[in-house]
Amino acid sequence: MRLTLLVNDERHELEIAHTARLADVLRDELGLVGTKIGCGEGACGACAVLVDGRAVNSCLLLAAAAEGHSVTTIEGISRDGLTPLQQAFIAEDALQCGYCTAGQVVAATALLAVNPSPTVEDVRAGMVGNLCRCGAYPGIERAILRLGQVAPA
Amino acid sequence: MTRLVRSITEMEGRFEEKWVLVSDDEPEAWASDRPLAIVGHETPRTTGPTRVSGAARYTTDVSLPGMLHVAALRSPLAHGRVTGLNREAALAVPGVRAVLDSTDTLSFRSRSGPLYAEPEHAGALLAVVAADTLVAARAGVKALALTIDPLPFVIDVDEAFRDQRIDGEIAEESRGDVDAALAGADVRVELTVETPTQLQTALEPHGAVGWWTEGELTCWVSTQGIFDARSELAKRFSVAPERVRVVADFIGGGFGAKQGAGVEALLAVELSRRTGRPVRFINDRHGEQLDAGSRPATRQTVRLGATGQGDLVAIDSEVLTSFGMTGWRAVNTPAMTLYRCANARGVEANLKLHLRQGNAFRAPMVLEGVTAVEQAMDELAITLGIDPLDLRRRNFVDVDQPSGLPYTSNQLLACYDRVAELSGWVGRDALLEPSEDGLLRGMGCATQIWWGGGGPPSHATIRIGGDGIATVVTGIQDIGTGTLTAAQMVAAEELGLPLDRVRVTGGDTRPNVYGPVAGGSQTSPSVLPAVRGAAAEVKRTLLQLAGDVFEAAPADLDLVNGRFRSSDGALDEPYTEVTGKLGNATVDGSGMRGANPDGMRANTFGCQVAQVAVDPGTGEVRVEHVWAVHDIGRVINPLGARSQVEGGILQGMAFALSEEVAFDPTTGVPTNAWLDDYKIPSIADVPAMTIAFVDVPDTALNNVGAKGLGEPPIIPTPAAIANAFRHATGRRALALPLTRARVVETLA
Amino acid sequence: MSVLRSGYVRPTSLGEALQLLAQPGARPMGGGTDLAGLIDRGIGQVATIVDLQALALGGIRGEEGRVVIGATTTLSDLLDAQDMLAPYTALLEATAQAASPLLRNVGTVAGNLCQHTRCWYYRGPEWTCWLGGGDTCYAQVGDHRKHGLQAGDCISAHPSDLAPALIACAATVQLGSAWGDRDIDLADLYRRPTATERSLVDLEPGEIILSVTLPAPPDSSVYLRAGERQGFSFPLVGLAAARHGERVSMCAVGVANTPHVLDPVDPLAGLDGHPQSAWKRTVLATLVERSLATVAP
Ligand SMILES: Cc1cc2nc3c(=O)[nH]c(=O)nc-3n(C[C@H](O)[C@H](O)[C@H](O)COP(=O)(O)OP(=O)(O)OC[C@H]3O[C@@H](n4cnc5c(N)ncnc54)[C@H](O)[C@@H]3O)c2cc1C
Ligand code: SF4
Ligand code: FES
Ligand code: FES
């Protein structure tokens, strides 16, 4: 089927299978490989992207269903250089192998957008869909909390 | 001068004597009390910006023009015989370019497989289909319309043991007279425990992109060992190693499972050779969980005999390992080495089962062994009425008993003291008071032992040019452990340059600078001394050149934080005054890891304490706090080291609480080979963690004083948790993990 | 009227959607988070995906002491409507613990209520089990540690966290199809499967959920659950309790293949368990005791 996707503020006309997942389209058709696939079943969050500002699992989302919405990937988030959140990830060593990291950054970006000063509990509840096999969680938690502290009250 | 010498090398406890190249110019070890400017200070990883921005390219991200994609057909049975595969139908699917199954003669040599007609485990590869798109490849697999007849299978330990399905010889090692010592002991305990099958579950699955062009082979592999992968590909496809290039810029975790080239690379290359196109073969999650390896399940019986004061007089350990059809044996290492005991025996058998063969998973076998021995020690402490930590202190040993050799360093007693102090260990019985929330709390401890000394061969080169940037070239791959950052730190320290003047590369065999596999906690202690050696050579030359430029005696000069300084302080000039004059010339240095000290064993040690809260009504076990103190020699980067320990604890915790493969008894197929059913920890499961190191450099081992850290932190965590559960509830679960089902059944 | 075509359609009017859904092989899609997994694992025939997102079936509104939740309201939308839903504590607690934030941003209320069982035999490509149209309930002869406690042809465990909370709060569902609308108790949306009807949801072909209606709130309510880890896990056992005056209604999941309304006098009645799932009885008994203590006046 034909469809138009708005990704990182750019419009793309595509011809895809109707069951194609957004994650595969981003990676294979648009070359946006910062979005990772860890499970393809909604269980890990490595594929997280923003759809209209909300973080979703792009491995389960039909690309067709994303038409008419605005998709932002890790490349879009990083377009104007590293965000303070990404810098905090580095400073707190919130990553090891880095495979989950794009998804973590996307999910944390969405979390901070609605809750600029989260508590530890907010961070844990808000990030629970993003697994990290390396166990970088303590750093991820510290990085997000650090952002909360510098955010304007 | 460089020389060839015979030296003992070690990988995950397997010792080998090899010829190795060593240098006489290797720098002296940094003295323990020497202040260092960069090493030992928290340093963010060099690859941070690339990884957080999504710019890092993993094997899964490699995309080449004309590339084909592979989908796999896997066995739906633990044991079966393929009776039908419709290759024509698969080849007729639009976009499908090639199909391989067991009837094809492959151009690489292989003892069995990798494509099976009679699969002996669920998930074994039966066929692969390469197509223009993954969708087409999957359609091709479907079109194969597999038919397969079931054959009898065995996955049950008791059944296998009854039928004596034993792989090779039963391994037995012993010293002293265990039976007599047990019979004469004042106190005896016996404990049989089981440990589960745990899956590495790296978030990036195994995969490779192979590209065969005119007898040149380029292969991107998600591997922990690019040089091993290169040798494997060269050997199997009969090409010279120089014509094989293996690239692994970023690896999405390995945890031991990603050794060498792997079947994905072999098949990708084979398909590339046949089709003339680059070929990508990435496991999907189900394939990865079924067929990428595991930490095999064990059943262990440990008998301990002791005097009434708590001196061990006998250790007797029997191990059954569910390795698959074949495997190695090392579960008894802790039984034979952890405590001073004149009479010790370890018997170990691998059962031949219709399971995917186990492979390395972070501290393979030793974690399993410690989990049993340390629970038995806990029972002994309880029987004797002795503080479990005191029992361990009392049986401390400072030699490697099987070899009789001393350790290069051993700070275990300091680890015990520190972990006791941090955790408030002596007051732990206060946790047994009834609490308002109705939860049962307790604390347990366990000791860690692992090798981790590294050794030769390992090489590094450093080149600095007119731009003043020093580039460190290594042949290691950073699987997330931060080794490249540590290499950058060591180079900057030795050179006397600021960190941002040093770049470090790895993950590519093309420069032909050999580095070891990232595994067994041996990467840092192997490669960092080589990096330091290379840096020392570059620095010597730079000081010579500075002598020329500033008309001073090189011996009177030093390079500190990017400035040349004379000993009297009269001269203080930026180093670029010298490198700026290099033009297109470069100053090069190369370094290599020296031989390990003769007549010594290098091991890491540590102790962890865990506190748990148990809800008897719902079977929930929550780990509230883990205190970890390890002896890993010099801590190069405390920031990265802390992350390694946190990650190890979390994987160990999950081994104790939630991770296990469930097998369907009727087909022998794992039922939970997915990420939704196989439960690795989430951020909500993270306990409080207090982490410390006994940061005493191991100056006997290598010139940076560092031992490895990959494996140690995972090793004691499960036993510490199991012992804490025992302390809290008065019951011992005879199998891990402590799922709700098991806890409810144990407390019933 | 749209002509049915194979693939994906996103109708913009309810009438059009119901016409499309009346065709064989058409399947409604909310967020698709469950449907996508079913397609991947080859469960069921899906000729046409009818995406309900453009039908204005989303949103939560209060009317005359009731609250009406549109079918395509996402789980996150529920959590964002704390003010309106505060009196239905159990529902908010259940929603907050369901799945993950990422999934809740897409997963819809109707999709959550109609999601298929997570039984690993049902989902695994290696088996075609009884519920999936085969002959054998592999769980009963195999590994059923996470399964239900009831006897029957299919011992799977119902997975939805929302269903028990809504049922305890006496929710009704409004159904629509090309043939007409009906309004039933949510509890009646579920049925035990039979040899001829291997489905756990009692919808006519082409019939969809339009909305869920909550009557006047209970005096107090609670949702308690036991998962496989501290977060992001299906409920092994989930229990909602709601007190309306003297009467407490309790509904559990994870214990039967449909949400199971408990008998207040003998909550474990009919839930004898199977060898490997019997442990859930202890957990359920504990959750019953704790939830009763919580909702007590
Ligand atoms: C990894 C994972 C973990 C999860 N954990 C939990 C959990 O802990 N607790 C929990 O409650 N849920 C959990 N879920 C389920 C998740 O909440 C559901 O996937 C989601 O709610 C389904 O919503 P959806 O809108 O995406 O459904 P869809 O995939 O769109 O639909 C699911 C089913 O409902 C049908 N359907 C959809 N809309 C309608 C309608 N209006 N009328 C009739 N039928 C309809 C579809 O045809 C399909 O059969 C989990 C899911 C995943 C993937
Ligand atoms: S419990 Fe139900 S879904 Fe599971 S195997 Fe049995 S019939 Fe199939
Ligand atoms: S890849 Fe999408 S959740 Fe794992
Ligand atoms: S950093 Fe490796 S999975 Fe998160």
Side-chain angles (χ1 to χ4, degrees):
Chain A
M1 62 181 288
R2 289 200 66 76
L3 91 168
T4 307
L5 279 185
L6 181 63
V7 180
N8 300 332
D9 296 330
E10 269 181 52
R11 216 163 272 286
H12 300 269
E13 306 278 337
L14 297 161
E15 176 70 41
I16 57 152
H18 73 275
T19 50
R21 302 306 150 74
L22 181 60
D24 294 326
V25 171
L26 292 171
R27 289 174 51 83
D28 299 341
E29 305 291 327
L30 304 181
L32 297 170
V33 294
T35 301
K36 297 289 184 270
I37 296 179
C39 67
E41 41 175 320
C44 77
C47 62
V49 300
L50 301 177
V51 173
D52 298 336
R54 290 197 166 204
V56 310
N57 306 89
S58 65
C59 70
L60 290 181
L61 191 65
L62 295 186
E67 190 169 33
H69 302 276
S70 169
V71 177
T72 308
T73 68
I74 186 71
E75 288 87 355
I77 287 175
S78 318
R79 195 165 36 194
D80 304 320
L82 298 184
T83 63
L85 174 69
Q86 288 168 315
Q87 288 164 10
F89 262 61
I90 298 171
E92 295 291 356
D93 207 37
L95 60 141
Q96 292 185 31
C97 78
Y99 200 75
C100 71
T101 308
Q104 304 280 2
V105 168
V106 167
T109 301
L111 171 70
L112 287 164
V114 291
N115 184 356
S117 301
T119 62
V120 172
E121 288 69 35
D122 295 341
V123 172
R124 290 184 166 214
M127 296 298 292
V128 80
N130 292 82
L131 300 184
C132 173
R133 183 46 157 174
C134 299
Y137 297 125
I140 293 167
E141 192 173 288
R142 287 189 298 265
I144 300 172
L145 290 173
R146 179 195 272 233
L147 255 280
Q149 281 151 16
V150 298
Chain B
M1 253 239 313
T2 44
R3 289 177 297 119
L4 269 172
V5 299
R6 297 288 288 171
S7 173
I8 304 278
T9 64
E10 172 269 321
M11 172 64 182
E12 301 193 332
R14 296 184 295 274
F15 293 89
E16 217 185 313
E17 207 188 46
K18 278 190 189 161
W19 283 105
V20 297
L21 199 61
V22 297
S23 164
D24 287 339
D25 298 329
E26 196 183 335
E28 290 285 301
W30 283 312
S32 308
D33 54 359
R34 173 171 164 172
L36 298 176
I38 294 171
V39 166
H41 301 276
E42 293 204 351
T43 306
R45 48 186 84 217
T46 64
T47 52
T50 324
R51 295 194 204 243
V52 298
S53 63
R57 289 292 170 266
Y58 297 77
T59 301
T60 44
D61 304 330
V62 173
S63 183
L64 301 168
M67 186 175 79
L68 300 180
H69 302 255
V70 177
L73 175 69
R74 297 179 179 281
S75 174
L77 297 171
H79 192 197
R81 185 180 300 115
V82 174
T83 52
L85 277 181
N86 192 342
R87 290 171 66 110
E88 288 66 39
L91 284 164
V93 171
V96 169
R97 305 285 162 189
V99 176
L100 294 177
D101 67 32
S102 68
T103 60
D104 290 282
T105 308
L106 304 177
S107 54
F108 60 87
R109 287 178 280 138
S110 165
R111 248 175 300 140
S112 70
L115 300 169
Y116 296 89
E118 276 196 20
E120 291 191 309
H121 69 269
L125 283 173
L126 306 179
V128 286
V129 175
D132 295 341
T133 64
L134 194 53
V135 174
R138 290 204 185 117
V141 165
K142 229 175 153 187
L144 283 169
L146 167 75
T147 52
I148 182 167
D149 281 348
L151 293 172
F153 66 89
V154 182
I155 57 166
D156 180 69
V157 174
D158 294 303
E159 184 184 346
F161 193 63
R162 210 174 39 237
D163 297 349
Q164 289 291 296
R165 295 176 56 93
I166 288 164
D167 161 39
E169 297 290 298
I170 294 180
E172 177 165 350
E173 47 189 325
S174 77
R175 60 175 179 266
D177 185 343
V178 173
D179 295 320
L182 266 180
D186 298 338
V187 178
R188 277 178 295 275
V189 297
E190 173 173 335
L191 182 68
T192 298
V193 293
E194 293 184 0
T195 64
T197 308
Q198 187 184 25
L199 302 176
Q200 291 89 348
T201 318
L203 215 50
E204 180 192 31
H206 283 66
V209 177
W211 196 3
W212 182 282
T213 46
E214 299 292 313
E216 294 273 342
L217 175 52
T218 309
C219 205
W220 288 259
V221 193
S222 189
T223 180
Q224 297 172 231
I226 50 173
F227 279 92
D228 288 352
R230 185 179 77 165
S231 322
E232 189 179 340
L233 290 168
K235 207 168 117 206
R236 300 272 205 136
F237 289 96
S238 305
V239 274
E242 308 78 68
R243 311 199 72 176
V244 180
R245 178 180 179 197
V246 174
V247 185
D249 289 330
F250 288 92
I251 299 105
F255 314 113
K258 292 179 178 169
Q259 305 287 336
V263 61
E264 300 80 13
L266 295 176
L267 288 169
V269 171
E270 176 75 20
L271 287 162
S272 176
R273 197 169 179 176
R274 287 167 183 248
T275 58
R277 311 252 296 256
V279 175
R280 179 161 93 186
F281 182 2
I282 309 286
N283 277 348
D284 61 16
R285 180 50 58 187
H286 189 46
E288 180 75 5
Q289 300 303 88
L290 284 172
D291 197 27
S294 67
R295 180 193 303 287
T298 68
R299 180 185 294 167
Q300 305 178 51
T301 298
V302 181
R303 288 178 210 92
L304 300 177
T307 65
Q309 289 74 47
D311 294 317
L312 283 169
V313 297
I315 300 174
D316 192 14
S317 167
E318 286 169 15
V319 181
L320 290 178
T321 312
S322 301
F323 229 120
M325 287 298 162
T326 177
W328 76 95
R329 304 169 191 82
V331 179
N332 276 321
T333 307
M336 302 305 288
T337 60
L338 203 43
Y339 297 111
R340 187 190 57 239
C341 186
N343 308 292
R345 176 170 59 205
V347 179
E348 193 167 345
N350 289 334
L351 297 174
K352 294 213 290 192
L353 302 171
H354 291 92
L355 302 176
R356 164 64 163 90
Q357 194 185 323
N359 54 8
F361 184 169
R362 208 171 189 172
M365 316 264 83
V366 170
L367 167 95
E368 295 87 311
V370 162
T371 301
V373 170
E374 285 297 81
Q375 292 192 69
M377 282 294 278
D378 204 51
E379 288 301 318
L380 180 62
I382 293 164
T383 307
L384 287 163
I386 298 183
D387 175 328
L389 260 184
D390 283 343
L391 179 68
R392 287 166 169 86
R393 284 194 186 95
R394 197 178 175 98
N395 290 287
F396 170 78
V397 61
D398 58 4
V399 296
D400 174 62
Q401 295 169 95
S403 66
L405 298 176
Y407 293 117
T408 50
S409 65
N410 181 343
Q411 302 293 333
L412 181 55
L413 289 174
C415 293
Y416 287 144
D417 291 346
R418 188 102 175 89
V419 82
E421 176 195 322
L422 290 171
S423 63
W425 174 260
V426 290
R428 75 191 194 290
D429 280 347
L431 293 170
L432 302 178
E433 300 291 323
S435 65
E436 257 175 47
D437 56 18
L439 302 180
L440 307 176
R441 287 193 170 71
M443 236 189 221
C445 72
T447 305
Q448 170 255 319
I449 188 164
W450 177 259
W451 303 277
S458 188
H459 297 260
T461 66
I462 299 183
R463 164 170 288 184
I464 190 165
D467 61 359
I469 300 288
T471 302
V472 184
V473 178
T474 71
I476 53 167
Q477 44 294 304
D478 195 332
I479 58 170
T481 48
T483 319
L484 289 177
T485 308
Q488 180 197 28
M489 294 169 73
V490 166
E493 182 77 48
E494 183 65 23
L495 287 166
L497 295 181
L499 262 181
D500 64 2
R501 307 281 86 194
V502 178
R503 284 198 198 125
V504 48
T505 68
D508 189 344
T509 59
R510 190 154 65 178
N512 211 16
V513 177
Y514 179 84
V517 59
S521 299
Q522 54 141 343
T523 323
S524 289
S526 299
V527 78
L528 299 182
V531 170
R532 190 169 163 229
E537 188 180 341
V538 169
K539 184 169 176 179
R540 274 195 300 276
T541 311
L542 288 177
L543 291 174
Q544 289 287 347
L545 303 185
D548 298 339
V549 172
F550 304 121
E551 293 175 3
D556 191 41
L557 294 177
D558 199 2
L559 177 51
V560 181
N561 194 24
R563 302 184 73 82
F564 286 107
R565 293 199 181 125
S566 58
S567 53
D568 60 4
L571 181 99
D572 186 353
E573 295 287 340
Y575 81 106
T576 45
E577 284 298 310
V578 173
T579 52
K581 298 185 172 54
L582 287 172
N584 287 327
T586 59
V587 172
D588 295 356
S590 68
M592 59 200 79
R593 167 67 151 86
N596 277 330
D598 274 338
M600 298 183 114
R601 281 280 189 261
N603 279 63
T604 55
F605 301 93
C607 182
Q608 290 182 6
V609 168
Q611 178 181 317
V612 303
V614 181
D615 182 347
T618 66
E620 179 180 26
V621 179
R622 180 188 270 268
V623 178
E624 297 189 313
H625 204 138
V626 176
W627 295 264
V629 181
H630 293 271
D631 162 24
I632 55 158
R634 183 190 297 281
V635 179
I636 303 288
N637 183 2
L639 187 62
R642 182 178 62 184
S643 297
Q644 277 296 296
V645 177
E646 288 167 345
I649 289 172
L650 290 174
Q651 286 178 352
M653 179 189 83
F655 180 77
L657 296 189
S658 63
E659 288 187 35
E660 88 184 290
V661 177
F663 292 95
D664 170 44
T666 62
T667 53
V669 178
T671 54
N672 61 348
W674 308 90
L675 213 51
D676 58 348
D677 266 322
Y678 183 84
K679 287 286 188 285
I680 67 171
S682 76
I683 193 169
D685 297 276
V686 177
M689 291 187 259
T690 304
I691 290 159
F693 299 99
V694 181
D695 190 356
V696 177
D698 188 337
T699 49
L701 178 64
N702 61 48
N703 69 38
V704 298
K707 301 191 265 192
L709 177 57
E711 344 285 308
I714 194 178
I715 292 172
T717 316
I721 290 171
N723 292 341
F725 179 83
R726 168 73 170 84
H727 186 227
T729 65
R731 304 277 182 90
R732 186 166 299 279
L734 297 180
L736 295 179
L738 298 166
T739 58
R740 288 181 190 266
R742 197 162 276 127
V743 169
V744 166
E745 284 160 8
T746 302
L747 300 183
Chain C
M1 196 184 101
S2 325
V3 183
L4 181 74
R5 52 190 165 98
S6 166
Y8 168 92
V9 279
R10 194 192 290 182
T12 49
S13 81
L14 183 59
E16 186 192 354
L18 295 177
Q19 289 300 328
L20 284 165
L21 285 160
Q23 322 267 343
R27 280 279 279 279
M29 181 179 98
T33 57
D34 191 40
L35 200 56
L38 300 175
I39 292 171
D40 274 353
R41 301 195 196 180
I43 300 171
Q45 293 301 311
V46 187
T48 307
I49 298 166
V50 182
D51 186 344
L52 308 181
Q53 67 166 289
L55 297 185
L57 283 182
I60 305 163
R61 55 179 202 281
E63 46 181 57
E64 301 155 22
R66 305 178 307 168
V67 173
V68 181
I69 302 168
T72 58
T73 306
T74 66
L75 273 54
S76 294
D77 293 338
L78 293 183
L79 296 176
D80 289 346
Q82 298 272 346
D83 290 350
M84 209 180 311
L85 295 176
Y88 307 93
T89 319
L91 178 60
L92 284 175
E93 288 174 345
T95 309
Q97 294 176 77
S100 73
L102 303 168
L103 287 161
R104 294 196 296 263
N105 281 337
V106 175
T108 63
V109 171
N112 184 277
L113 295 175
C114 296
Q115 63 179 299
H116 288 211
T117 175
R118 306 301 295 193
C119 170
W120 43 34
Y121 293 105
Y122 180 74
R123 300 231 168 203
E126 291 87 357
W127 301 275
T128 302
C129 77
W130 181 86
L131 186 65
D135 308 323
T136 311
C137 171
Y138 290 96
Q140 297 189 39
V141 292
D143 194 321
H144 54 260
R145 65 183 80 180
K146 294 201 233 169
H147 285 69
L149 297 167
Q150 272 186 326
D153 292 320
C154 167
I155 62 164
S156 68
H158 183 83
S160 164
D161 281 306
L162 270 58
L166 287 166
I167 289 172
C169 294
T172 56
V173 276
Q174 291 68 55
L175 308 177
S177 72
W179 301 276
D181 295 354
R182 54 187 184 124
D183 193 334
I184 60 171
D185 283 345
L186 174 56
D188 294 332
L189 179 68
Y190 302 101
R191 60 138 177 252
R192 311 266 298 157
T194 63
T196 48
E197 291 288 347
R198 308 262 173 112
S199 152
L200 297 155
V201 175
D202 201 0
L203 288 174
E204 298 297 327
E207 192 173 41
I208 59 167
I209 298 176
L210 303 175
S211 58
V212 179
T213 301
L214 285 162
D219 297 318
S220 65
S221 67
V222 67
Y223 183 70
L224 300 176
R225 83 197 302 264
E228 287 187 86
R229 61 183 169 208
Q230 301 294 329
F232 194 15
S233 151
F234 277 97
L236 290 164
V237 181
L239 178 78
R243 183 175 59 80
H244 311 260
E246 297 285 277
R247 196 173 49 82
V248 177
S249 31
M250 286 185 286
C251 182
V253 287
V255 298
N257 55 16
T258 60
H260 185 76
V261 176
L262 302 187
D263 176 348
V265 186
D266 182 5
L268 268 64
L271 301 174
D272 294 339
H274 300 276
Q276 298 161 20
S277 66
W279 65 275
K280 285 188 174 181
R281 286 172 54 85
T282 306
V283 178
L284 182 61
T286 302
L287 298 187
V288 166
E289 188 187 312
R290 290 181 189 169
S291 61
L292 288 177
T294 312
V295 298

